Amino acid sequence: MIKKGWDEFEIGAMLRTFDGSINDIAGTSQDDRSYSENSSYTASVADWRLIKPVFNKDYCIDCQFCWIYCPDVSIISRDKKMIGVDMDHCKGCGICVEVCPTNPKSLLMFPEQAEEEAEIASWPAKDEEK
Amino acid sequence: MSEMKKIKNLKEFSTSADRFEGANLLCPGCAHSIIVREVLNATNDDLVLSASTGCLEVCTAVYPYTSWDASWIHIGFENGSTAVAGAEAMYKALKNKGRLKQPDRNPKFVSFAGDGASYDIGFQWISGCMERGHNMMHVVLDNEVYANTGGQRSSSTPIGSSTTTAPAGRVSYGEKKNKKDMVSIMASHHIPYSAQVSPNKWKDMVKKIQHGFSVDGPVFINAVSPCTTEWKFDPKDTMLLADLSTDSLVFPLYEIIDGRELNITYRPKNVVPVEEYLAAQGRFKHLFKDEYKHLIKEWQDRVDDNWSYLQRREEARV
Ligand SMILES: Cc1ncc(C[n+]2csc(CCOP(=O)(O)OP(=O)(O)O)c2C)c(N)n1
Ligand code: SF4
Ligand code: SF4
Ligand code: SF4
């Protein structure tokens, strides 16, 4: 992609999200789309994140609360199942953890550099207070 | 007309193929995008969209990127509504002349705008769209402030809120005037549908958006959009703030059909005191000082009064 300088900006620009034409975008899953390099889908905001969500599928009941309330389209849901977090688009807001209803939660926030496998292995136990 | 998308429950809803993308530059935890996703995912139809200048626009179309998988236009701060209205009028004209290449496709026309762009600067343009009867929907992302330019008050800012142009301090408790009742004003254009929605009640939102898409004529939607930066709360609490908004009745959820028939669509089982809603946000922190505490009671009285007004209207079918 040719990036233009601040003083080379054109008045009125059209950005094409896809390479080629797509006839039924609402019927085409993200996995099957040919995003152009102008789509923010191809970009990353991962470096914004200070803390990250880790997903433990053992407790997940696929309620999809995290999917609907994630502001950054970062919960990967396929066929009514939560399958993971899109780490290029997740900004680490923590909303998904707050709305997860399971006990213990199926998503928890950890420092960006935490080891996912180790955190899942030492997942907190059920909280009896609830 | 094309068939309405069937969304029985959240699992079914989650099979939607999103047409709004990540790696946009909205703040972490921004409710604007949660609202946009709930609106866009309510239909499978083609979309013709606009965004007036404001956080949503400047954060989702940062050259050379776009986050929109639909026909989307940005023009001025004030005239996103008219841009969509123009597209809709063109669509109708081409349809009447039999010149549409795919006449069976049934695009939905939606303009998104902040409260600044809707309550103030785009006000007359939206009023014109409603009055002319365009088949379009205007959605306000109501964060009660001009967030994108640093948090100046708008005519949607509620009393007692500290903003950069109405700051709380030694001589002032912040914003002095009360929030404009935009839903009533728009309903008074006798449009087929206007409603207030909140992202935490996704089902209510989807139902209202689908109803809005199914009627012929202008639709006005006011969506409460908790803003982590200007309301001053932790980004993880966006949905908590939306819950507090609806459950304290600060943002009651209702609809007005044909400018007259008012229906309340959500009655909280346990109504939360307004104090809890205020206490959760930094913009109201000063109200808890002794000299301003009476304002909290005033807030509660006003919210109670509005709720009883809405109930009376609902009952009287006016
Ligand atoms: C005619 C005009 N006046 C002022 C501005 C500067 N401006 C850009 S964004 C913005 C604030 C937008 O506030 P709002 O519509 O409430 O949306 P938010 O950013 O809060 O989502 C302002 C004042 C402009 N772009 N055009
Ligand atoms: S932390 Fe925020 S952005 Fe990341 S997946 Fe959770 S809700 Fe989405
Ligand atoms: S909110 Fe929790 S339980 Fe529900 S789908 Fe997401 S991770 Fe699973
Ligand atoms: S300032 Fe508020 S409305 Fe704007 S992007 Fe940030 S959270 Fe969203």
Side-chain angles (χ1 to χ4, degrees):
Chain A
M1 172 169 29
I2 307 155
K3 292 211 179 175
K4 294 206 166 162
W6 66 272
D7 56 347
E8 296 171 303
F9 190 72
E10 55 217 279
I11 299 168
M14 189 169 80
L15 301 175
R16 290 191 178 275
T17 323
F18 303 112
D19 290 326
S21 65
I22 287 192
N23 201 36
D24 175 22
I25 185 66
T28 310
S29 139
Q30 272 96 331
D31 306 334
D32 301 325
R33 297 177 182 176
S34 61
Y35 287 103
S36 79
E37 54 187 4
N38 289 117
S39 171
S40 69
Y41 184 86
T42 59
S44 169
V45 284
D47 57 355
W48 287 31
R49 219 174 32 236
L50 300 172
I51 46 173
K52 67 177 177 192
V54 171
F55 174 51
N56 186 336
K57 70 177 186 324
D58 289 350
Y59 300 101
C60 176
I61 54 171
D62 291 314
C63 66
Q64 306 299 330
F65 283 137
C66 57
W67 172 80
I68 183 79
Y69 297 130
C70 168
D72 289 302
V73 213
S74 303
I75 298 295
I76 310 170
S77 265
R78 298 291 180 264
D79 301 325
K80 305 182 184 179
K81 296 224 170 340
M82 151 63 167
I83 56 174
V85 182
D86 169 350
M87 282 301 172
D88 284 335
H89 298 156
C90 169
K91 294 174 188 153
C93 66
I95 292 177
C96 52
V97 172
E98 293 301 305
V99 299
C100 181
T102 61
N103 186 1
K105 283 186 185 284
S106 315
L107 286 156
L108 286 172
M109 300 305 284
F110 294 97
E112 184 59 25
Q113 57 281 11
E115 289 282 347
E116 198 172 310
E117 273 172 36
E119 300 301 349
I120 290 178
S122 57
W123 206 255
K126 187 172 168 176
D127 181 358
E128 297 296 344
E129 295 280 288
K130 288 198 180 144
Chain B
M1 202 180 58
S2 56
E3 228 175 87
M4 200 184 281
K5 181 170 174 178
K6 286 194 186 62
I7 303 166
K8 281 203 306 288
N9 50 42
L10 193 46
K11 282 197 186 199
E12 199 167 350
F13 198 25
S14 74
T15 60
S16 305
D18 268 292
R19 281 180 276 181
F20 180 75
E21 301 294 353
N24 57 65
L25 304 185
L26 290 159
C27 299
C30 177
H32 278 8
S33 50
I34 305 175
I35 296 161
V36 166
R37 290 183 63 225
E38 290 180 11
V39 171
L40 300 193
N41 284 331
T43 183
N44 285 334
D45 286 315
D46 296 334
L47 296 164
V48 177
L49 309 171
S50 75
S52 296
T53 315
C55 285
L56 181 70
E57 183 269 331
V58 308
C59 298
T60 61
V62 183
Y63 193 76
Y65 293 113
T66 171
S67 302
W68 299 86
D69 303 339
S71 302
W72 180 93
I73 186 170
H74 162 65
I75 49 171
F77 189 14
E78 60 282 45
N79 51 7
S81 57
T82 14
V84 159
E88 185 269 344
M90 174 64 81
Y91 175 81
K92 214 177 254 168
L94 292 176
K95 191 169 196 160
N96 289 342
K97 290 180 179 174
R99 279 170 54 193
L100 285 179
K101 289 206 179 97
Q102 294 173 294
D104 301 337
R105 299 189 84 135
N106 185 39
K108 304 296 185 215
F109 296 87
V110 187
S111 64
F112 290 101
D115 50 287
S118 304
Y119 285 57
D120 305 333
I121 300 184
F123 185 78
Q124 65 159 317
W125 307 64
I126 301 166
S127 175
C129 291
M130 301 285 127
E131 180 261 322
R132 290 191 301 272
H134 292 282
N135 195 13
M136 62 175 280
M137 180 183 286
H138 183 84
V139 180
V140 183
L141 305 163
D142 186 4
N143 58 10
E144 302 188 320
V145 72
Y146 289 80
N148 182 242
T149 38
Q152 299 87 348
R153 59 85 62 186
S154 79
S155 59
S156 172
T157 306
I159 193 164
S161 174
S162 183
T163 72
T164 48
T165 48
R170 208 157 28 82
V171 292
S172 171
Y173 54 78
E175 175 60 29
K176 291 278 187 333
K177 293 180 206 70
N178 224 329
K179 188 182 168 88
K180 196 185 254 184
D181 183 359
M182 203 47 183
V183 180
S184 288
I185 295 170
M186 288 300 147
S188 299
H189 289 71
H190 303 292
I191 54 175
Y193 195 65
S194 44
Q196 183 143 285
V197 298
S198 175
N200 61 331
K201 300 291 171 203
W202 70 267
K203 212 170 186 174
D204 179 75
M205 165 102 77
V206 164
K207 214 170 141 193
K208 286 170 175 162
I209 299 298
Q210 291 194 332
H211 183 95
F213 283 152
S214 76
V215 301
D216 192 19
V219 170
F220 182 82
I221 302 286
N222 197 59
V224 57
S225 187
C227 166
T228 141
T229 307
E230 299 300 338
W231 294 19
K232 301 189 175 24
F233 60 84
D234 190 325
K236 75 177 182 6
D237 291 329
T238 303
M239 297 322 295
L240 171 75
L241 260 298
D243 284 342
L244 287 170
S245 310
T246 54
D247 293 358
S248 64
L249 300 172
V250 169
F251 280 90
L253 303 185
Y254 60 94
E255 59 186 11
I256 304 175
I257 294 170
D258 294 330
R260 289 249 176 252
E261 197 185 317
L262 187 145
N263 301 311
I264 293 170
T265 58
Y266 170 64
R267 285 163 209 279
K269 273 194 212 80
N270 301 308
V271 177
V272 172
V274 172
E275 190 171 345
E276 274 183 45
Y277 169 76
L278 300 174
Q281 306 170 55
R283 63 175 173 156
F284 295 118
K285 195 170 74 195
H286 54 286
L287 296 185
F288 292 83
K289 286 186 193 153
D290 283 343
E291 69 253 49
Y292 295 141
K293 265 197 171 147
H294 63 279
L295 285 166
I296 297 177
K297 188 179 175 302
E298 270 177 51
W299 250 97
Q300 184 71 57
D301 290 346
R302 203 177 39 255
V303 168
D304 291 347
D305 183 61
N306 187 46
W307 182 237
S308 86
Y309 165 74
L310 293 174
Q311 284 177 310
R312 270 180 281 135
R313 262 193 77 174
E314 181 181 51
E315 208 177 303
R317 317 306 291 149
V318 292

